[in-house]
Amino acid sequence: MTRDRATWLLYLHMAAFGYFLYCFGPSVTLLGDDLGVSNAVAALHSTAYAAAGVLIALLGDRPMRRFGRGRTLWAGCGLLSAGVLAYCAAGAPAVSLSAALLCGFGAFLVVNVAGTALADHHGPIAGPSALSEANGLAAGVGMAAPLLIGVMDSSGPGWRWAMVVVPVLFGALAAGFGRTQIPDVVAATPSRTPPGSPSPEAPPESAGSAAPPPPSPPLSVPTLLPPASPSAKARASRVTGAPPVSTSSGSLPAAYWWAWLLTVCSVGVEFSLSLWASTLLRDRTGMSEGAAATAMTAVVAGLCLGRLAGGRLALRIPLDRLYGSAVAVNLVGFALFWSATVPWLAYLGLFVSGLGMSVQFPLATAAAIRAAAGRADLAVSRLAVATTLAAGGAPFLLGLATDLMPVRTAFLLLPILLLASLPILHKSTHPKPRP
């Protein structure tokens, strides 16, 4: 695979996005403490961020088709940078919630455009490898974010300075790669040649190409999942066993909706642990706010390692068995974290939980596509609703619960979601035959 300047530009955009993503989770509790608001109100920042994803999904590919991928990508960088600066300067919940919404608009634009452009730029053969490398780089860079937040908060300057790195990163990208051309959408043009023949005006690689589907937002905090290109969907259909037919209309079978619920469970656990792990860590171990904010590093390390191995495991182990094993690993990690009274054991538990979570969302997505009976476009668009609902709703419910009961008791919501996912998994992967 050839990595040209456009490839590295898109890789670095994904890396900067990953840094922001893993800053945002631990920052929510720190901002809530600074503003003196309840945990439920603090959790609304995650809800505002997720709401932006819904709105971006409704826009579809309109911004890219009207302004081009390059302008849309840089506009997303600008919106995200402005949102981060407003978020860091906020002195009232109304301002910080609006800033979180603005961050969501920018972040979802960045990851959608970068993911789609990478897939198209490298084609159906090298595209998946490029996306995997981009996601791996994003996770690797993201591991530094919670550490920097903890160090900044503990050493004096404050956690906000760690988030200010985000606009600095995008500014550096603009200075170094501002004139680099980003692969754009190939517009369909009328042709006078017989059906099925390539247009004489079109270059060979664009002949017969189809416009990519409307991009959907990344489906949860740790996933960084880009929208699928048509070729990727065809390959996914061969892997999952679903027919390679895709349509945007028609009803979806019951097994799909069980997989939809499975996605809600997996994303709800990921987001809740990302936002509130530091709160339980402080409550159980007596760690400072800054030190506890580094907890997300252990989770991201587990996610990164698990996803590196998860792709190969998915080729050898049936989906339902692998998902069930991942839930078991996640439960073991949660038990270690939940019962820990010393930091090292809590960090070990978070790392093990990250290992378990690493494959849950990708497998839930694969189960949904397989159960959709060939309606991949419709399935993915419906999954966007599931993921944003879980990403915005589950952390809010957990934050509300921590206001009403001890933090340790409130955290039992996570194993409840994990255990509930097992019968849902069976329903989604073993549907009853139609009479």
Side-chain angles (χ1 to χ4, degrees):
M1 181 179 70
T2 303
R3 300 170 187 85
D4 55 13
R5 279 185 65 85
T7 301
W8 284 110
L9 172 61
L10 296 169
Y11 277 11
L12 293 174
H13 271 92
M14 293 287 279
F17 166 78
Y19 179 87
F20 160 76
L21 205 58
Y22 295 113
C23 265
F24 183 70
S27 77
V28 167
T29 54
L30 295 172
L31 180 64
D33 290 339
D34 289 351
L35 297 179
V37 298
S38 67
N39 287 337
V41 173
L44 286 176
H45 292 86
S46 172
T47 305
Y49 177 85
V54 176
L55 296 175
I56 290 296
L58 292 176
L59 284 177
D61 63 349
R62 293 182 184 89
M64 282 71 79
R65 292 201 169 276
R66 180 167 182 178
F67 303 107
R69 282 181 181 154
R71 290 183 180 179
T72 304
L73 181 63
W74 289 114
C77 296
L79 289 174
L80 180 53
S81 298
V84 167
L85 293 175
Y87 183 82
C88 292
V95 177
S96 59
L97 287 170
S98 300
L101 183 69
L102 185 60
C103 286
F105 282 126
F108 282 98
L109 283 176
V110 169
V111 74
N112 282 350
V113 175
T116 306
L118 267 176
D120 285 354
H121 186 48
H122 289 280
I125 296 176
S129 177
L131 290 173
S132 178
E133 288 184 353
N135 287 334
L137 180 61
V141 172
M143 279 193 285
L147 285 175
L148 192 56
I149 278 191
V151 169
M152 290 290 190
D153 190 69
S154 301
S155 61
W159 61 268
R160 289 174 172 82
W161 289 101
M163 292 202 72
V164 172
V165 171
V166 175
V168 173
L169 290 175
F170 284 125
L173 280 178
F177 292 87
R179 295 186 178 182
T180 302
Q181 293 295 317
I182 296 172
D184 221 323
V185 181
V186 179
T189 56
S191 175
R192 297 181 181 180
T193 56
S197 301
S199 171
E201 294 83 11
E205 60 269 21
S206 67
S209 64
S216 56
L219 299 179
S220 69
V221 164
T223 58
L224 308 177
L225 187 71
S229 64
S231 57
K233 290 173 183 175
R235 289 192 305 274
S237 70
R238 293 195 294 270
V239 173
T240 60
V245 180
S246 178
T247 179
S248 59
S249 61
S251 61
L252 291 163
Y256 169 82
W257 294 108
W258 286 112
W260 190 93
L261 287 175
L262 190 66
T263 304
V264 170
C265 291
S266 64
V267 174
V269 171
E270 288 187 22
F271 257 86
S272 298
L273 196 63
S274 299
L275 265 67
W276 295 114
S278 61
T279 301
L280 182 59
L281 200 58
R282 285 155 47 188
D283 183 71
R284 292 286 293 168
T285 66
M287 296 175 68
S288 67
E289 293 180 1
T294 63
M296 191 58 195
T297 301
V299 179
V300 179
L303 285 167
C304 187
L305 181 61
R307 285 189 174 133
L308 288 174
R312 295 186 178 181
L313 290 175
L315 296 175
R316 302 178 181 180
I317 303 174
L319 186 152
D320 53 346
R321 284 178 52 196
L322 184 56
Y323 193 99
S325 299
V327 168
V329 172
N330 205 343
L331 286 170
V332 170
F334 176 82
L336 290 173
F337 170 61
W338 188 75
S339 60
T341 56
V342 291
W344 72 267
L345 186 58
Y347 275 68
L348 176 61
L350 289 170
F351 174 77
V352 175
S353 288
L355 284 176
M357 286 191 299
S358 64
V359 297
Q360 285 177 241
F361 171 75
L363 290 177
T365 303
I369 294 174
R370 182 172 66 182
R375 298 181 176 91
D377 289 330
L378 184 60
V380 171
S381 66
R382 296 292 186 267
L383 277 183
V385 178
T387 53
T388 50
L389 177 65
F396 173 76
L397 290 176
L398 182 55
L400 181 63
T402 59
D403 290 333
L404 302 175
M405 62 186 73
V407 175
R408 191 163 181 252
T409 304
F411 257 78
L412 292 176
L413 172 65
L414 301 191
I416 290 173
L417 286 173
L418 289 171
L419 291 172
S421 69
L422 294 176
I424 294 173
L425 171 68
H426 181 79
K427 292 282 189 179
S428 64
T429 55
H430 297 82
K432 293 182 179 180
R434 294 184 178 180

